[in-house]
Amino acid sequence: MVEYKTEKAFFHLPGLFEFFRLYSLFLPLFSEHREYFYDWCEIGSIYGAPANCVWGGGRIGGGDCTPREVLRLLREHGVSARLTFSNSLLEKEHLADEKCNALCRLFECGGKTRNGVIVHSDLLVVDAQLQPIADSFWRYSYLHPDLIDKHLRFLAIANTVTGCAMVMNRASRTVSLPFPSDAFMHDASIAVATKQAGGTIVPLHEALVRYRQHGHNTIGAVEYSF
């Protein structure tokens, strides 16, 4: 007898705060009447940020609900919440913002559904004598993390997350271990597992680690050009 493995599609939905009233109706329907929906459809996460968040960076925020109301709703239905803080113009002093830090603490402890987070940086490619070869591993290898990290189908074939230049939270570790027996690279496996579980991957466009190449390496930083 031939058995077919059913692949699931995880949808990441917008409007965590501004569409709260809609999700208050939709999530109970999705949970209680799965016969209305394809069995290969799952909600990977719901993402957004409330209004007046300095870390939000131009995103439209709204809604009259409180963060605790949002968190309670998603916890009831086992859906992961993503805070989309994407202001690329933040300065060091903004990192101490009380409102944004309070939101992060609240959602980190928001229940059984944990949200995986990976933060990873670019690398300075150097030779065996630590002399620079390229000031950006991503440009050298023609990788675009701002595009690749957002889409699971891209991340699965073109990993941008390098193990020596990444940090992850406990939720990401939990969904990534144990490693699959066929995992070729552990850092790539972590990135895919985190993304598949509705987590967030954040690239830092600064080379924070020196990435040393030895002669005729077959893996590592490979130069591509078109």
Side-chain angles (χ1 to χ4, degrees):
M1 180 178 178
V2 178
E3 294 185 1
Y4 295 94
K5 180 180 178 181
T6 302
E7 300 290 344
K8 288 187 177 291
F10 289 85
F11 291 86
H12 302 278
L13 308 178
L16 180 62
F17 292 88
E18 56 265 43
F19 299 154
F20 174 75
R21 301 304 172 193
L22 171 63
Y23 289 129
S24 296
L25 299 174
F26 176 74
L27 289 180
L29 184 69
F30 186 82
S31 299
E32 298 167 14
H33 295 280
R34 289 308 308 268
E35 70 273 15
Y36 297 169
F37 304 90
Y38 290 114
D39 57 6
W40 48 263
C41 290
E42 294 290 347
I43 300 175
S45 69
I46 301 177
Y47 62 88
N52 302 318
C53 275
V54 67
W55 293 1
R59 287 184 176 272
I60 297 174
D64 56 0
C65 57
T66 68
R68 291 189 181 277
E69 287 178 310
V70 170
L71 199 55
R72 187 181 307 114
L73 175 66
L74 269 64
R75 188 190 316 173
E76 288 174 358
H77 298 283
V79 176
S80 175
R82 285 188 184 181
L83 291 172
T84 47
F85 293 144
S86 56
N87 187 349
S88 60
L89 300 179
L90 289 179
E91 301 291 343
K92 186 175 181 179
E93 60 268 21
H94 296 132
L95 299 180
D97 183 82
E98 184 176 346
K99 179 178 181 180
C100 295
N101 278 286
L103 278 169
C104 289
R105 288 192 297 269
L106 176 64
F107 277 72
E108 176 67 19
C109 302
K112 295 181 180 179
T113 306
R114 301 295 185 180
N115 305 291
V117 178
I118 294 174
V119 178
H120 66 113
S121 76
D122 201 351
L123 304 98
L124 174 67
V125 184
V126 298
D127 62 18
Q129 286 72 45
L130 303 185
Q131 296 302 307
I133 298 174
D135 61 1
S136 169
F137 167 70
W138 293 335
R139 287 196 299 271
Y140 186 72
S141 299
Y142 219 81
L143 296 170
H144 298 276
D146 288 322
L147 172 64
I148 295 172
D149 291 359
K150 294 178 181 178
H151 300 281
L152 181 61
R153 63 183 184 277
F154 295 157
L155 192 62
I157 60 175
N159 179 47
T160 63
V161 179
T162 306
C164 64
M166 64 175 280
V167 293
M168 61 181 177
N169 67 353
R170 183 174 299 175
S172 180
R173 176 181 180 274
T174 299
V175 299
S176 301
L177 297 178
F179 290 117
S181 59
D182 58 351
F184 179 63
M185 294 183 293
H186 288 165
D187 47 12
S189 179
I190 292 170
V192 169
T194 298
K195 192 69 176 178
Q196 192 171 33
T200 302
I201 301 176
V202 182
L204 300 179
H205 290 269
E206 183 178 352
L208 302 179
V209 176
R210 288 187 291 186
Y211 196 48
R212 186 168 62 178
Q213 299 294 287
H214 295 276
H216 302 288
N217 276 4
T218 58
I219 60 174
V222 179
E223 183 177 13
Y224 291 98
S225 60
F226 292 92

